[in-house]
Amino acid sequence: MSEHVKETSDSGFENDVLQSAQPVLVDFWAAWCAPCRMLAPTVEAVAEKYAASARVMKLNVDDNPSVSQRFGIKGIPTLILFKNGKEEERVVGATSEAAISRMLDKHIGAATARLAQAIRFSPPWWRGYVFVSAAAPVLCPVLNFRISDLRSQI
């Protein structure tokens, strides 16, 4: 797996996904599945884009049959977005980065994602500042700022 996409299993699914404070996008896949392999770079790109506001996990359906059965995975690739321990949305089959981003934006809030992206790609000299208002941007210093601290306040 990569820096942004982590692997989960039957034994870790409850902790990694259902008890997560962040929304979690789970990619149900298998090594022999060509569409799954084609979707992998797209899932990686989405994971990098939403790193500050959502988690992206992969679950191999061949190695982890109980979670796959529990969520009724009949075809792969299947992407399921979990929020507060519940399934929010599901996509079956290969899809585009834009479609996955729309799904995430709908459930995590586009403002949070845009703020996280702005902070991640901001010049180093103002990373300690955060926009207080989207209507009238005001910069204010924030010590030891982490996007996870801010997300709970939005």
Side-chain angles (χ1 to χ4, degrees):
M1 292 300 108
S2 73
E3 174 186 347
H4 301 288
V5 180
K6 305 296 181 202
E7 187 135 3
T8 190
S9 64
D10 282 346
S11 60
F13 191 84
E14 182 78 26
N15 190 46
D16 294 340
V17 177
L18 301 180
Q19 294 179 4
S20 176
Q22 291 182 301
V24 182
L25 180 68
V26 180
D27 177 11
F28 291 84
W29 70 288
W32 52 264
C33 170
C36 298
R37 291 193 308 269
M38 288 174 32
L39 187 62
T42 303
V43 170
E44 175 64 35
V46 167
E48 186 174 343
K49 180 178 179 181
Y50 290 90
S53 53
R55 297 175 67 194
V56 177
M57 309 290 290
K58 291 180 82 81
L59 184 117
N60 186 315
V61 296
D62 291 335
D63 298 339
N64 303 285
S66 75
V67 170
S68 303
Q69 288 177 338
R70 177 178 174 187
F71 290 99
I73 304 302
K74 304 281 189 229
I76 54 174
T78 295
L79 300 173
I80 301 180
L81 178 65
F82 292 90
K83 185 176 177 185
N84 299 322
K86 296 185 176 93
E87 179 179 334
E88 292 292 322
E89 197 162 337
R90 176 184 296 228
V91 176
V92 179
T95 188
S96 68
E97 182 178 342
I100 299 169
S101 293
R102 280 192 301 273
M103 177 176 65
L104 285 166
D105 285 344
K106 183 170 38 170
H107 292 284
I108 65 170
T112 303
R114 282 194 305 271
L115 178 60
Q117 193 167 17
I119 290 169
R120 198 165 357 121
F121 296 111
S122 64
W125 56 267
W126 71 271
R127 284 200 181 129
Y129 295 83
V130 63
F131 287 106
V132 174
S133 167
V138 178
L139 290 173
C140 67
V142 179
L143 300 176
N144 298 322
F145 174 77
R146 290 185 317 205
I147 191 67
S148 59
D149 296 337
L150 178 66
R151 188 178 53 255
S152 63
Q153 300 172 9
I154 293 179

